[in-house]
Amino acid sequence: MIKIAPSILSADFSRLGNEITDIRSGGADYIHFDVMDGEFVPNISIGIPVLKSLRKITDMFIDVHLMITTPLRFAKAFCDAGADLVVFHVEADSYQNISDAIDVVKAQGKKVGLAVKPRTPAAVLYPFIERLDLVLVMTVEPGFGGQSFMPDQLPKIKELRHEIERRGLDCELEVDGGVDPVTAKLCKAAGANVLVAGSAVFGKADRAAQIAAIRNA
Ligand code: DX5
Ligand code: ZN
């Protein structure tokens, strides 16, 4: 089943509650919540207080994408603030700390995922993959919404789909960056089942139409 996860990085934060109502009624499956620390990526976005506020106004599934160094420091705090799924980057720390951060999220009863930047090979995820609920392939360099999709990431998506099937895992495969009704078709064909879209959803007035166009691409 294809799931659509609008990234609120491209939403109007002055009316965030209305934006959530819009995507919910438009058929979105997840809220994609991008956290940036100005260190792991060259930008700063939103964090724990905003997540807490959102949790109070919606029961939608919140997919938190941490683009921060040493995610182990904040893994529990994001669980406590209301994340349903916490995804962090395999590049963001040592093997041991990444492994410990996975344990912290699971101990809170939340779903956990690992993300890879465009230049990181899929195989870096394999030592962890059996413990993951989701893997995330970045199809832009993380840090900003509205960038162009990188088609050279499609083989990585295919490779991960193949590996998930080969191992018989119940692990979702998410794609993030430059996803629109055209590139969504490529992602689906490569085996992705969760499609993040920021500017393609929030950049158009009719969010329901955009969500449907991406889902049915
Ligand atoms: C980028 C973020 C993405 C971003 C996607 O670093 O992780 O989630 O918001 O935005 P679009 O869909 O506009 O590329
Ligand atoms: Zn993201």
Side-chain angles (χ1 to χ4, degrees):
M1 184 184 125
I2 298 295
K3 295 177 182 170
I4 309 299
S7 163
I8 58 167
L9 192 61
S10 296
D12 178 350
F13 286 110
S14 70
R15 51 186 300 281
L16 191 53
N18 296 318
E19 299 280 58
I20 299 301
T21 306
D22 253 22
I23 59 167
R24 182 187 198 121
S25 62
D29 300 282
Y30 294 173
I31 296 169
H32 186 81
F33 189 98
D34 286 306
V35 179
M36 304 179 185
D37 67 351
E39 193 176 342
F40 184 74
V41 291
N43 197 7
I44 295 177
S45 60
I46 49 175
I48 290 164
V50 178
L51 180 57
K52 279 187 184 160
S53 297
L54 262 193
R55 183 75 293 166
K56 283 188 200 145
I57 60 143
T58 185
D59 61 1
M60 278 185 78
F61 186 97
I62 305 180
D63 156 20
V64 173
H65 178 194
L66 298 180
M67 288 162 276
I68 65 172
T69 55
T70 322
L72 179 58
R73 291 175 299 165
F74 292 107
K76 182 169 183 303
F78 278 97
C79 292
D80 293 345
D84 294 292
L85 161 71
V86 180
V87 181
F88 39 90
H89 276 262
V90 71
E91 306 92 349
D93 209 340
S94 64
Y95 173 88
Q96 192 56 51
N97 282 353
I98 293 295
S99 179
D100 289 352
I102 293 170
D103 287 341
V104 165
V105 175
K106 285 168 113 52
Q108 301 308 307
K110 306 298 179 121
K111 294 194 169 181
V112 66
L114 275 181
V116 279
K117 296 203 275 189
R119 274 172 276 192
T120 304
V124 175
L125 297 170
Y126 296 165
F128 306 101
I129 198 165
E130 310 260 350
R131 298 155 65 199
L132 302 176
D133 298 294
L134 178 143
V135 288
L136 167 54
V137 175
M138 290 301 307
T139 41
V140 298
E141 285 296 341
F144 300 91
Q147 304 182 76
S148 298
F149 181 82
M150 297 169 69
D152 61 354
Q153 298 304 302
L154 291 166
K156 192 193 291 181
I157 301 168
K158 281 189 196 141
E159 183 187 335
L160 278 163
R161 171 52 63 199
H162 177 77
E163 191 66 16
I164 289 166
E165 301 299 320
R166 190 181 73 78
R167 296 185 189 226
L169 302 177
D170 183 15
C171 180
E172 298 201 295
L173 177 46
E174 183 174 53
V175 173
D176 183 6
V179 175
D180 62 21
V182 174
T183 57
K185 197 181 177 74
L186 306 174
C187 295
K188 283 166 64 175
N193 78 298
V194 184
L195 307 177
V196 176
S199 47
V201 170
F202 288 106
K204 294 265 165 63
D206 190 344
R207 279 67 189 272
Q210 286 299 103
I211 290 167
I214 294 167
R215 195 191 300 286
N216 302 322

